[in-house]
Amino acid sequence: MGRSVAILLSLLSMGPERKIKCYNEYFVNGYIFHTEEYKYERKTYNNDVCIKGSTFSEFKVDYYGRLEKVIELQYHNE
């Protein structure tokens, strides 16, 4: 990694770059997820997602939803 933690935190604090990339699908852990827009005119699709989560209380809360957009952010790297 070679960079100091202070430099990495400084770059992260600048926020993402203004350019982004958008996709209509996302591949993770052997599964492909599609956006709502992708499903039209398709026989099969997978756009439901669940994020296992926990809160700062004793209750664990899972978040369920539909994938509407896939956005890739790029962060500054000097």
Side-chain angles (χ1 to χ4, degrees):
M1 196 152 123
R3 297 184 192 181
S4 74
V5 173
I7 292 173
L8 292 173
L9 285 175
S10 175
L11 292 171
L12 186 61
S13 71
M14 294 170 63
E17 295 181 7
R18 293 196 179 267
K19 61 182 175 184
I20 62 170
K21 292 181 182 178
C22 296
Y23 301 97
N24 61 3
E25 64 184 13
Y26 183 71
F27 179 78
V28 62
N29 297 331
Y31 296 96
I32 297 177
F33 296 92
H34 298 105
T35 60
E36 281 279 321
E37 182 179 327
Y38 180 88
K39 75 177 183 180
Y40 297 109
E41 300 180 14
R42 303 278 195 280
K43 290 183 180 181
T44 63
Y45 61 91
N46 185 7
N47 66 345
D48 295 324
V49 294
C50 172
I51 299 172
K52 292 280 195 190
S54 65
T55 60
F56 293 106
S57 67
E58 70 271 8
F59 303 107
K60 290 190 175 187
V61 179
D62 295 338
Y63 299 94
Y64 296 90
R66 298 210 173 205
L67 193 59
E68 294 179 13
K69 293 181 183 180
V70 178
I71 300 172
E72 179 182 11
L73 301 174
Q74 296 289 323
Y75 282 84
H76 302 276
N77 60 5
E78 293 185 289

